[in-house]
Amino acid sequence: MSLSRRALMLAVGVGIALSSGPGRAAEVAALNPPARVKVAYVPIMKFATLYVAEGRGIFAKYGLDVTLERVKSGTEAIAFLDQGSVDVGGIAIVASLWSAWDRGLNVRIIAPGALDPMENGPTKLIIRKDLSDAGAIKTIADLKGKKIGVAGGPGSGGEYFVAKALERAKLTIRDVQLVNIGNADMPPALEAKSLDAVLTSSPFSDQILGGGTGILLAQDFTPGLMTVAFVASGKFIKERPEVAERFALALAEAARMMQGNDYLSPENIAAYIKYTASTEEALRKGAPVIYDPNIEIPVDGLADVERVHRENGRTEYDKPLDLSKAVDTTFVKKAIDALGKQ
């Protein structure tokens, strides 16, 4: 669903007045002077609401002077947040974060990045075709004792996806042999029969399935899951909450400008290309990345991610984490109060 014309027409000057509840209206004015915000991000499309908010002047509309600093990994972004050299970071939710939050890491998720599609998701569990033809692997239950290739190693997102797939057959990662292998090495590994199955996504899944060496066994393990997020330092949240509110509001507006056919609008494509290594051709050929127009943080999904990593022994603690140590939903709630829910 695209941002409505009515919402656009409600923009007034440098602020915006929108319904925030029955019988009342909230004025979200631009900060004056503009507030500086430093954001560390990995240049991938899962953080594209950030690129659109900056590229299309939404941050500026709310009086935010945002500097985007490209980093190599979410781990690097977390280090900068912990040091106080950036205010917000775009990161992947990996197993080590849960232990860091348990130890008191003072950063909080304040908005989601992209979400997994509800169906036909890009991550696929693929088995060797010869094993399928021989009847050795027909269902997920038949993976017990088999070698499964996954990129990232212990505690990675790949391991989590494999764990979620195995849950369908009441298995765990202890029931299989996980092999840490790069995605690019998976097609030849299946062809050489050194692995029984792999977890991968395009273009490597396309290569395997198109080449006839593999058969799709399962996908859509975690529809709607948030695997990446925008996190803010505790200092930023405590000392400049009005800035954090406008930051989340700008992300919400950007998400609404990225729905349906608007995803590939000329203005959005220009923003994507500016902040990633992608090309217009690749963007048009690839499947659209999914962004919630209400930018809700899927807390239940996060709790499941934490549970799986904890039960897999990837955390330094063994009891469920209080998610208030990891998540602050205040800012996305205020954003939707201002914009109205779609």
Side-chain angles (χ1 to χ4, degrees):
M1 186 181 299
S2 62
L3 179 63
S4 68
R5 293 290 181 187
R6 179 175 179 275
L8 283 171
M9 291 301 293
L10 285 171
V12 180
V14 294
I16 188 167
L18 289 161
S19 172
S20 62
R24 60 191 179 95
E27 181 91 5
V28 183
L31 296 172
N32 189 14
R36 293 184 177 180
V37 184
K38 289 185 178 182
V39 184
Y41 77 102
V42 179
I44 58 175
M45 282 296 294
K46 288 189 174 184
F47 299 116
T49 48
L50 176 70
Y51 317 146
V52 171
E54 175 62 15
R56 299 188 66 169
I58 306 172
F59 285 139
K61 181 176 75 171
Y62 290 114
L64 302 181
D65 179 7
V66 176
T67 300
L68 276 60
E69 299 186 358
R70 187 176 296 197
V71 295
K72 295 179 180 178
S73 68
T75 302
E76 189 176 354
I78 287 291
F80 289 149
L81 283 162
D82 199 31
Q83 295 164 8
S85 56
V86 300
D87 303 301
V88 178
I91 66 165
I93 309 301
V94 295
S96 59
L97 264 177
W98 299 109
S99 294
W101 274 317
D102 183 63
R103 294 193 303 268
L105 176 67
N106 193 19
V107 303
R108 298 292 183 274
I109 295 169
I110 61 167
L115 305 178
D116 280 0
M118 297 305 293
E119 57 184 15
N120 298 319
T123 305
K124 297 176 172 65
L125 182 59
I126 299 172
I127 58 173
R128 276 180 18 216
K129 186 176 185 302
D130 65 302
L131 294 176
S132 174
D133 291 344
I137 301 179
K138 295 182 178 180
T139 67
I140 291 175
D142 296 327
L143 291 174
K144 187 171 183 178
K146 299 295 192 293
K147 291 182 178 180
I148 303 176
V150 58
S156 66
E159 182 185 81
Y160 171 74
F161 282 125
V162 171
K164 292 301 293 180
L166 294 172
E167 280 185 356
R168 297 180 181 181
K170 297 183 179 180
L171 300 176
T172 74
I173 60 170
R174 297 174 182 83
D175 294 309
V176 299
Q177 300 177 57
L178 292 185
V179 179
N180 184 6
I181 181 174
N183 284 287
D185 295 323
M186 292 181 185
L190 279 187
E191 190 169 357
K193 300 182 180 181
S194 58
L195 294 173
D196 303 310
V198 296
L199 182 101
T200 190
S201 58
S202 182
F204 308 105
S205 57
D206 301 330
Q207 181 180 345
I208 294 167
L209 297 173
T213 56
I215 296 291
L216 177 65
L217 181 65
Q219 66 184 128
D220 298 333
F221 316 110
T222 55
L225 179 71
M226 180 186 75
T227 58
V228 300
F230 294 99
V231 299
S233 70
K235 180 179 180 181
F236 178 65
I237 291 172
K238 181 178 179 180
E239 297 181 1
R240 299 198 290 163
E242 73 287 353
V243 181
E245 289 171 15
R246 285 161 177 79
F247 186 87
L249 180 56
L251 293 180
E253 281 199 36
R256 295 184 179 198
M257 293 179 176
M258 299 164 65
Q259 303 299 312
N261 291 334
D262 292 338
Y263 176 77
L264 291 178
S265 71
E267 298 87 352
N268 288 351
I269 287 177
Y272 305 152
I273 293 173
K274 181 176 180 179
Y275 294 105
T276 72
S278 192
T279 64
E280 181 169 351
E281 181 182 8
L283 290 165
R284 292 192 180 280
K285 285 184 177 179
V289 184
I290 306 301
Y291 307 92
D292 179 8
N294 295 311
I295 65 166
E296 291 180 335
I297 300 172
V299 177
D300 289 345
L302 281 172
D304 185 67
V305 175
E306 187 272 343
R307 173 191 65 81
V308 171
H309 285 313
R310 175 168 38 83
E311 290 180 355
N312 286 343
R314 304 309 187 194
T315 63
E316 298 169 359
Y317 58 90
D318 55 11
K319 294 182 180 179
L321 182 75
D322 177 359
L323 286 190
S324 67
K325 293 183 175 182
V327 182
D328 188 334
T329 61
T330 302
F331 306 107
V332 295
K333 287 179 178 177
K334 289 188 175 181
I336 300 309
D337 281 347
L339 290 174
K341 195 166 186 176
Q342 288 194 354

